[in-house]
Amino acid sequence: MENLIKKTARDLAKSKKVIALTGAGVSVESGIPPFRGKGGIWEKIDPMEFAHIDSFMRDPAKVWDILIREMKDVVEKARPNDAHIGLARLEELGILSAIITQNVDGLHQLAGNTDVIEFHGTFALQRCLKCAKKIETAKVSLDEIPPKCECGGILRPDCVFFGEMIPPQHLFRSSKISRECEIMLVVGTSAVVYPASNIPGDAKKSGAKIIEINPENTPLTGSISDYIIKGNAGKVIKEIVSEVELLL
Ligand code: NAD
Ligand code: ZN
């Protein structure tokens, strides 16, 4: 692992065309549970059922009670960890140009990254189903479930539920920067949620080196990715950044 960290640091230090694709694993050390993997929300509930748009439309109160209420609490308390901070430092050093994240927690922006494509939208805002007005999640009271807009419409998170389309501008830009990058860091994603799961393959086809950081293998490991650094994102990224700084 030590060798892979040094190897990654050498590659990064030479490149100005690095992007990262991140998933729920990058925020685990901030206290936000992932869907899959150890300690994942899936051990308790089936997100395909609760995080599906059809479930929400059928029974918004149930989805607010079981999934969104807890998420609001967890996300509001979360702070960037060493993985977010390290990726922000790589941007500051002129190495990392953008992040495509599947996360909705806003922690990359809070850590200081300025070009973050929120592929699955954001949990920081709620949107009214009736008038489309957006309201900060932090300002939404949970006295009434489901919470409502001033107009009486039900509020929903401004994220992409399973069964919904990815905003086309995000698809377009993610695909463009994936085809242009030299190195893609794929951090803390199980790489099974389509279409985000296709992004590393697109980058690879255009000649990029794909480096995974994840404590567990994924469907990319041994096929799409050049190698995997097995470990928690916070520790691994912190070590990589320290090595990069020695090389600059
Ligand atoms: P996932 O839940 O499917 O997979 C999590 C991955 O992170 C696994 O591969 C696991 O091995 C890895 N992991 C666990 N701990 C880690 C650590 N400390 N460091 C590095 N990796 C670690 O996540 P996904 O691929 O992002 O897909 C789930 C979907 O759910 C996403 O689309 C996302 O929108 C949503 N989601 C978001 C959040 C968030 O915003 N923080 C949290 C849960 C789910
Ligand atoms: Zn409204």
Side-chain angles (χ1 to χ4, degrees), residues 108-171:
H108 287 303
Q109 294 92 318
L110 212 55
N113 281 100
T114 58
D115 190 0
V116 181
I117 301 174
E118 294 183 299
F119 205 75
H120 291 156
T122 176
F123 191 74
L125 299 171
Q126 301 290 322
R127 186 168 87 231
C128 172
L129 284 179
K130 210 159 125 191
C131 75
K133 188 176 151 191
K134 293 186 184 182
I135 300 165
E136 274 175 58
T137 304
K139 292 193 178 144
V140 171
S141 153
L142 298 185
D143 291 347
E144 185 197 5
I145 294 289
K148 305 228 171 69
C149 168
E150 300 164 340
C151 82
I154 291 173
L155 293 177
R156 59 156 289 172
D158 200 20
C159 335
V160 177
F161 280 83
F162 288 118
E164 291 191 295
M165 303 284 285
I166 305 294
Q169 72 276 20
H170 291 348
L171 272 179

Coordinates of all heavy atoms in Angstrom, one line a residue, residues 108-171:
H108 N -17.7 18.5 0.0 CA -16.6 18.9 -0.8 C -16.5 20.4 -0.9 O -15.5 21.0 -0.9 CB -16.7 18.3 -2.3 CG -16.5 16.8 -2.3 ND1 -15.3 16.3 -1.9 CD2 -17.2 15.8 -2.8 CE1 -15.3 15.0 -2.1 NE2 -16.5 14.7 -2.6
Q109 N -17.7 21.0 -1.1 CA -17.7 22.5 -1.2 C -17.3 23.1 0.1 O -16.6 24.1 0.2 CB -19.1 23.0 -1.6 CG -19.5 22.6 -3.0 CD -20.3 21.3 -3.0 OE1 -20.0 20.3 -2.3 NE2 -21.4 21.2 -3.8
L110 N -17.8 22.5 1.2 CA -17.4 23.0 2.5 C -15.9 22.9 2.8 O -15.3 23.8 3.4 CB -18.2 22.2 3.6 CG -18.6 22.9 4.8 CD1 -19.5 24.2 4.5 CD2 -19.5 22.0 5.7
A111 N -15.3 21.9 2.2 CA -13.8 21.7 2.4 C -13.1 22.7 1.5 O -11.9 22.9 1.7 CB -13.4 20.3 2.1
G112 N -13.7 23.3 0.5 CA -13.0 24.3 -0.3 C -12.9 24.0 -1.8 O -12.4 24.8 -2.6
N113 N -13.4 22.9 -2.3 CA -13.3 22.6 -3.7 C -14.3 23.5 -4.4 O -15.5 23.7 -4.0 CB -13.7 21.1 -4.0 CG -12.4 20.3 -3.8 OD1 -12.4 19.6 -2.8 ND2 -11.5 20.3 -4.7
T114 N -13.9 24.1 -5.5 CA -14.8 25.1 -6.2 C -15.5 24.6 -7.4 O -16.5 25.2 -7.9 CB -13.9 26.4 -6.6 OG1 -12.9 25.9 -7.5 CG2 -13.3 27.0 -5.4
D115 N -15.0 23.5 -8.0 CA -15.7 23.0 -9.1 C -16.2 21.5 -8.8 O -15.6 20.6 -9.0 CB -14.8 22.9 -10.3 CG -15.6 22.6 -11.6 OD1 -16.8 22.4 -11.6 OD2 -14.9 22.6 -12.7
V116 N -17.5 21.5 -8.3 CA -18.0 20.2 -7.8 C -19.3 20.0 -8.6 O -20.2 20.8 -8.5 CB -18.3 20.2 -6.3 CG1 -18.9 18.9 -5.9 CG2 -17.1 20.6 -5.5
I117 N -19.3 18.9 -9.4 CA -20.6 18.5 -10.1 C -21.4 17.6 -9.2 O -20.9 16.5 -8.9 CB -20.2 17.8 -11.4 CG1 -19.4 18.7 -12.3 CG2 -21.5 17.4 -12.1 CD1 -18.9 18.1 -13.6
E118 N -22.5 18.1 -8.7 CA -23.4 17.3 -7.9 C -24.3 16.5 -8.7 O -25.4 16.9 -9.1 CB -24.1 18.2 -6.9 CG -23.2 18.9 -5.9 CD -24.0 19.7 -4.9 OE1 -24.7 20.7 -5.3 OE2 -23.9 19.4 -3.7
F119 N -23.8 15.3 -9.1 CA -24.4 14.4 -10.1 C -25.8 14.1 -9.7 O -26.7 13.9 -10.5 CB -23.5 13.2 -10.2 CG -23.7 12.4 -11.5 CD1 -23.1 12.9 -12.7 CD2 -24.4 11.2 -11.6 CE1 -23.2 12.2 -13.9 CE2 -24.5 10.5 -12.8 CZ -23.9 11.1 -13.9
H120 N -26.0 13.8 -8.4 CA -27.3 13.4 -7.8 C -28.0 14.6 -7.1 O -28.9 14.3 -6.2 CB -27.2 12.2 -6.9 CG -26.8 11.0 -7.6 ND1 -26.1 9.9 -7.1 CD2 -27.0 10.6 -8.9 CE1 -25.9 9.0 -8.0 NE2 -26.4 9.4 -9.1
G121 N -27.6 15.8 -7.4 CA -28.3 17.0 -6.8 C -27.8 17.2 -5.4 O -26.7 16.8 -5.0
T122 N -28.6 18.0 -4.6 CA -28.1 18.4 -3.3 C -29.2 18.2 -2.2 O -30.4 18.4 -2.5 CB -27.7 19.9 -3.3 OG1 -27.3 20.2 -2.0 CG2 -28.8 20.8 -3.8
F123 N -28.7 17.9 -1.0 CA -29.7 17.7 0.1 C -29.8 19.0 0.8 O -30.6 19.2 1.7 CB -29.2 16.6 1.0 CG -30.2 16.2 2.0 CD1 -31.3 15.4 1.7 CD2 -30.0 16.6 3.4 CE1 -32.2 15.1 2.6 CE2 -31.0 16.2 4.3 CZ -32.1 15.5 3.9
A124 N -29.0 20.0 0.4 CA -29.0 21.3 1.2 C -30.3 22.1 0.9 O -30.6 23.0 1.7 CB -27.8 22.2 0.7
L125 N -31.0 21.7 -0.2 CA -32.3 22.4 -0.5 C -33.4 21.4 -0.6 O -33.2 20.2 -0.9 CB -32.1 23.1 -1.9 CG -31.0 24.2 -2.0 CD1 -30.9 24.6 -3.4 CD2 -31.3 25.4 -1.1
Q126 N -34.6 21.9 -0.3 CA -35.8 21.2 -0.5 C -36.6 21.9 -1.6 O -36.5 23.1 -1.7 CB -36.7 21.1 0.7 CG -36.0 20.4 1.9 CD -35.8 19.0 1.7 OE1 -36.6 18.3 1.2 NE2 -34.6 18.5 2.2
R127 N -37.4 21.2 -2.4 CA -38.1 21.8 -3.5 C -39.6 21.5 -3.3 O -40.0 20.3 -3.0 CB -37.6 21.2 -4.8 CG -38.1 21.8 -6.1 CD -37.3 21.3 -7.3 NE -37.8 20.0 -7.8 CZ -37.1 19.0 -8.1 NH1 -35.8 19.0 -7.8 NH2 -37.6 17.9 -8.6
C128 N -40.4 22.5 -3.6 CA -41.9 22.3 -3.4 C -42.4 21.5 -4.7 O -42.1 21.9 -5.8 CB -42.6 23.6 -3.3 SG -44.3 23.5 -3.3
L129 N -43.2 20.5 -4.4 CA -43.8 19.7 -5.5 C -44.8 20.5 -6.3 O -45.1 20.1 -7.4 CB -44.5 18.4 -4.9 CG -43.6 17.3 -4.5 CD1 -44.4 16.1 -3.9 CD2 -42.7 16.8 -5.6
K130 N -45.4 21.5 -5.7 CA -46.4 22.3 -6.3 C -45.9 23.5 -7.1 O -46.1 23.7 -8.3 CB -47.5 22.7 -5.3 CG -48.9 22.8 -5.8 CD -49.8 22.7 -4.6 CE -50.8 23.9 -4.7 NZ -51.5 24.0 -3.4
C131 N -45.1 24.4 -6.4 CA -44.7 25.7 -7.0 C -43.2 25.7 -7.4 O -42.7 26.6 -7.9 CB -45.0 26.8 -6.1 SG -43.9 27.0 -4.7
A132 N -42.5 24.6 -7.0 CA -41.0 24.4 -7.4 C -40.1 25.4 -6.7 O -38.9 25.4 -6.9 CB -40.8 24.5 -8.9
K133 N -40.6 26.1 -5.7 CA -39.8 27.0 -4.9 C -38.8 26.2 -4.1 O -39.2 25.1 -3.6 CB -40.7 27.9 -4.0 CG -39.9 28.9 -3.3 CD -40.9 29.8 -2.4 CE -40.1 30.3 -1.2 NZ -40.9 31.0 -0.3
K134 N -37.6 26.7 -3.9 CA -36.6 25.9 -3.2 C -36.3 26.6 -1.8 O -36.3 27.8 -1.7 CB -35.3 25.9 -3.9 CG -35.4 25.0 -5.2 CD -34.1 24.8 -5.9 CE -34.4 24.0 -7.2 NZ -33.2 23.7 -7.9
I135 N -36.2 25.8 -0.8 CA -36.0 26.2 0.6 C -34.8 25.5 1.2 O -34.6 24.3 0.9 CB -37.3 25.9 1.4 CG1 -38.5 26.6 0.8 CG2 -37.1 26.3 2.9 CD1 -39.8 26.1 1.3
E136 N -34.0 26.2 2.0 CA -32.8 25.6 2.6 C -33.3 24.5 3.6 O -34.2 24.8 4.4 CB -32.1 26.6 3.4 CG -31.0 27.4 2.6 CD -30.4 28.4 3.5 OE1 -29.8 28.1 4.5 OE2 -30.5 29.6 3.1
T137 N -32.7 23.3 3.5 CA -33.1 22.2 4.3 C -33.0 22.5 5.8 O -33.9 22.2 6.6 CB -32.3 21.0 4.0 OG1 -32.5 20.7 2.6 CG2 -32.7 19.7 4.8
A138 N -32.0 23.3 6.1 CA -31.7 23.7 7.5 C -32.9 24.5 8.1 O -33.1 24.6 9.3 CB -30.4 24.4 7.6
K139 N -33.6 25.2 7.2 CA -34.7 26.1 7.7 C -36.1 25.4 7.7 O -37.1 26.0 8.1 CB -34.8 27.3 6.8 CG -33.6 28.2 6.9 CD -33.8 29.6 6.3 CE -32.6 30.4 6.5 NZ -32.3 31.3 5.3
V140 N -36.1 24.1 7.3 CA -37.4 23.4 7.3 C -37.7 22.8 8.6 O -36.9 22.1 9.2 CB -37.3 22.3 6.2 CG1 -38.5 21.3 6.2 CG2 -37.1 22.9 4.8
S141 N -38.9 23.1 9.1 CA -39.3 22.5 10.4 C -39.9 21.1 10.2 O -40.6 20.9 9.3 CB -40.3 23.5 11.1 OG -41.1 22.7 11.9
L142 N -39.5 20.3 11.2 CA -40.1 18.9 11.1 C -41.3 18.7 12.0 O -41.7 17.6 12.3 CB -39.0 17.9 11.4 CG -37.7 17.9 10.5 CD1 -36.8 16.8 10.8 CD2 -38.2 17.8 9.0
D143 N -41.9 19.8 12.4 CA -43.1 19.7 13.3 C -44.2 19.0 12.6 O -45.0 18.3 13.2 CB -43.5 21.1 13.8 CG -42.5 21.7 14.8 OD1 -41.6 20.9 15.2 OD2 -42.6 22.9 15.0
E144 N -44.3 19.3 11.3 CA -45.3 18.6 10.5 C -44.6 17.7 9.5 O -43.7 18.1 8.8 CB -46.1 19.6 9.8 CG -47.3 19.1 9.0 CD -47.9 20.1 8.0 OE1 -47.3 21.2 7.8 OE2 -48.9 19.7 7.4
I145 N -45.0 16.4 9.4 CA -44.4 15.5 8.4 C -45.5 15.0 7.4 O -46.5 14.5 7.9 CB -43.8 14.3 9.1 CG1 -42.6 14.7 9.9 CG2 -43.4 13.2 8.1 CD1 -41.3 15.1 9.1
P146 N -45.4 15.1 6.1 CA -44.2 15.7 5.4 C -44.3 17.3 5.6 O -45.4 17.8 5.6 CB -44.4 15.3 4.0 CG -45.9 15.2 3.8 CD -46.4 14.6 5.1
P147 N -43.1 17.9 5.6 CA -43.1 19.4 5.7 C -43.6 20.0 4.4 O -43.5 19.4 3.3 CB -41.6 19.7 5.8 CG -40.8 18.5 5.7 CD -41.8 17.3 5.6
K148 N -44.2 21.2 4.6 CA -44.9 21.8 3.4 C -44.3 23.2 3.2 O -43.8 23.9 4.1 CB -46.4 22.0 3.7 CG -47.0 20.6 4.0 CD -48.3 20.4 3.2 CE -48.9 19.0 3.4 NZ -49.4 18.8 4.7
C149 N -44.4 23.6 1.9 CA -44.1 25.0 1.5 C -45.2 26.0 1.9 O -46.3 25.5 2.3 CB -44.0 24.9 -0.1 SG -43.9 26.4 -0.9
E150 N -44.9 27.3 1.8 CA -45.9 28.3 2.2 C -47.2 28.1 1.3 O -48.3 28.3 1.8 CB -45.4 29.7 1.8 CG -44.2 30.1 2.5 CD -43.5 31.3 1.8 OE1 -43.8 31.6 0.6 OE2 -42.8 32.0 2.5
C151 N -47.0 27.6 0.1 CA -48.2 27.4 -0.8 C -49.0 26.1 -0.5 O -50.0 25.9 -1.1 CB -47.7 27.4 -2.3 SG -47.1 25.8 -2.8
G152 N -48.5 25.3 0.5 CA -49.2 24.1 0.8 C -48.7 22.9 0.2 O -49.1 21.7 0.5
G153 N -47.8 23.0 -0.8 CA -47.2 21.9 -1.5 C -46.2 21.1 -0.6 O -45.6 21.7 0.3
I154 N -46.1 19.8 -0.9 CA -45.2 19.0 -0.1 C -43.7 19.3 -0.6 O -43.5 19.4 -1.8 CB -45.6 17.5 -0.3 CG1 -46.9 17.3 0.4 CG2 -44.5 16.6 0.2 CD1 -47.5 15.9 0.1
L155 N -42.8 19.3 0.4 CA -41.4 19.5 0.1 C -40.7 18.2 -0.1 O -41.0 17.2 0.5 CB -40.7 20.2 1.2 CG -41.2 21.7 1.5 CD1 -40.4 22.2 2.7 CD2 -40.9 22.5 0.3
R156 N -39.8 18.2 -1.1 CA -39.0 17.0 -1.4 C -37.5 17.4 -1.5 O -37.2 18.6 -1.9 CB -39.4 16.3 -2.7 CG -39.3 17.3 -3.9 CD -39.1 16.5 -5.2 NE -37.8 15.9 -5.3 CZ -37.4 15.1 -6.3 NH1 -38.2 14.8 -7.2 NH2 -36.2 14.6 -6.3
P157 N -36.6 16.6 -1.1 CA -35.1 17.0 -1.3 C -34.8 17.3 -2.8 O -35.4 16.6 -3.6 CB -34.4 15.7 -0.8 CG -35.4 14.9 -0.1 CD -36.7 15.2 -0.6
D158 N -33.9 18.2 -3.0 CA -33.5 18.6 -4.3 C -32.5 17.6 -4.9 O -31.5 18.0 -5.5 CB -33.0 20.0 -4.3 CG -33.1 20.7 -5.7 OD1 -33.8 20.2 -6.6 OD2 -32.4 21.7 -5.9
C159 N -32.6 16.3 -4.5 CA -31.7 15.3 -5.0 C -32.4 14.4 -6.0 O -33.6 14.4 -6.1 CB -31.2 14.4 -3.9 SG -31.2 14.9 -2.3
V160 N -31.6 13.6 -6.7 CA -32.1 12.7 -7.7 C -32.5 11.4 -6.9 O -31.6 10.8 -6.3 CB -31.1 12.4 -8.8 CG1 -31.6 11.4 -9.8 CG2 -30.7 13.7 -9.5
F161 N -33.7 11.0 -6.9 CA -34.1 9.7 -6.3 C -33.9 8.6 -7.4 O -33.7 8.9 -8.6 CB -35.6 9.7 -6.1 CG -36.1 10.5 -4.8 CD1 -36.2 11.8 -4.8 CD2 -36.3 9.8 -3.6 CE1 -36.6 12.5 -3.6 CE2 -36.7 10.4 -2.5 CZ -36.9 11.8 -2.5
F162 N -33.8 7.4 -6.9 CA -33.8 6.3 -7.9 C -35.0 6.4 -8.7 O -36.1 6.8 -8.2 CB -33.8 4.9 -7.1 CG -32.5 4.6 -6.4 CD1 -32.4 4.4 -5.1 CD2 -31.3 4.4 -7.2 CE1 -31.2 4.1 -4.4 CE2 -30.1 4.1 -6.5 CZ -30.1 4.0 -5.2
G163 N -34.9 6.1 -10.0 CA -36.0 6.2 -10.9 C -36.2 7.5 -11.5 O -37.1 7.8 -12.3
E164 N -35.3 8.5 -11.2 CA -35.3 9.8 -11.8 C -34.1 10.0 -12.7 O -33.1 9.4 -12.6 CB -35.3 10.9 -10.7 CG -36.6 11.0 -9.9 CD -36.7 12.2 -9.1 OE1 -35.9 12.3 -8.1 OE2 -37.6 13.0 -9.3
M165 N -34.3 11.0 -13.6 CA -33.2 11.3 -14.6 C -32.1 12.1 -13.9 O -32.4 13.0 -13.1 CB -33.7 12.1 -15.8 CG -34.9 11.5 -16.5 SD -34.3 10.2 -17.6 CE -33.5 11.2 -18.9
I166 N -30.9 11.9 -14.4 CA -29.8 12.8 -14.0 C -29.9 14.1 -14.8 O -30.2 14.1 -16.0 CB -28.4 12.2 -14.4 CG1 -28.2 10.8 -13.8 CG2 -27.2 13.1 -14.0 CD1 -28.2 10.7 -12.3
P167 N -29.8 15.3 -14.1 CA -29.9 16.6 -14.9 C -29.0 16.5 -16.1 O -27.8 16.2 -15.9 CB -29.5 17.6 -13.9 CG -29.7 17.0 -12.5 CD -29.5 15.5 -12.7
P168 N -29.5 16.8 -17.3 CA -28.7 16.6 -18.5 C -27.4 17.4 -18.5 O -26.4 17.0 -19.0 CB -29.6 17.1 -19.7 CG -30.9 17.5 -19.1 CD -30.9 17.2 -17.6
Q169 N -27.4 18.6 -17.9 CA -26.2 19.4 -17.9 C -25.1 18.7 -17.1 O -23.9 18.8 -17.4 CB -26.4 20.9 -17.4 CG -26.7 21.1 -15.9 CD -28.2 20.8 -15.6 OE1 -28.9 20.2 -16.3 NE2 -28.6 21.3 -14.4
H170 N -25.4 18.0 -16.1 CA -24.4 17.3 -15.3 C -23.9 16.1 -16.1 O -22.7 15.8 -16.0 CB -25.1 16.7 -14.0 CG -25.4 17.8 -13.0 ND1 -25.0 19.1 -13.1 CD2 -26.2 17.7 -11.9 CE1 -25.4 19.8 -12.1 NE2 -26.2 19.0 -11.3
L171 N -24.8 15.4 -16.8 CA -24.3 14.2 -17.6 C -23.3 14.7 -18.6 O -22.3 14.1 -18.9 CB -25.5 13.6 -18.3 CG -26.3 12.6 -17.6 CD1 -27.5 12.1 -18.5 CD2 -25.4 11.4 -17.3

